[in-house]
Amino acid sequence: MNDLSARVRAFAEDRDWQQFHTPKNLAMALAGEVGELLAEFQWLTPEQAAMVMDDPEAAARVRAEIGDVMIYLTRLADVLGIDLVGAATAKLAEVAVRYPVELVKGSAAKR
């Protein structure tokens, strides 16, 4: 993650884009990219969505959108000084307490 953060930061700095990379702008760009990822699945059945990577053209579009999402998320975390892996690890530990296996296995119900 550190290498990716450094590469994305350097990409922005080389282009003098850090002036535009405010948390608000990055969060909005991230939301836009997530919307583009969602559009790839919008009218698919659950079965089609599960098989999307079997279609080379659809797979390339999904891979590109996920790449965009990852880049913007990485840049936003870097600008805010958030360790993405640490944040995800902490959130996973928190959710594990809220949703213990013995109480929620096989259920999508919220607690």
Side-chain angles (χ1 to χ4, degrees), residues 32-84:
E33 294 300 337
V34 169
E36 291 180 21
L37 176 59
L38 287 170
E40 293 298 327
F41 292 92
Q42 186 170 8
W43 303 113
L44 301 182
T45 65
E47 295 77 18
Q48 290 169 324
M51 306 284 286
V52 74
M53 298 308 286
D54 293 342
D55 174 353
E57 290 179 13
R61 291 191 309 269
V62 167
R63 195 174 293 108
E65 295 306 338
I66 286 177
D68 287 339
V69 168
M70 185 68 172
I71 288 167
Y72 277 112
L73 180 60
T74 300
R75 183 69 177 132
L76 178 59
D78 185 46
V79 166
L80 293 174
I82 295 171
D83 169 12
L84 271 176

Side-chain angles (χ1 to χ4, degrees), residues 2-54:
N2 290 336
D3 181 54
L4 179 60
S5 291
R7 290 178 63 191
V8 173
R9 183 183 321 115
F11 187 89
E13 289 172 353
D14 289 348
R15 289 155 181 80
D16 195 25
W17 287 352
Q18 65 273 32
Q19 63 184 313
F20 309 114
H21 287 184
T22 65
K24 176 197 73 78
N25 288 352
L26 290 167
M28 291 176 69
L30 175 59
E33 294 300 337
V34 169
E36 291 180 21
L37 176 59
L38 287 170
E40 293 298 327
F41 292 92
Q42 186 170 8
W43 303 113
L44 301 182
T45 65
E47 295 77 18
Q48 290 169 324
M51 306 284 286
V52 74
M53 298 308 286
D54 293 342

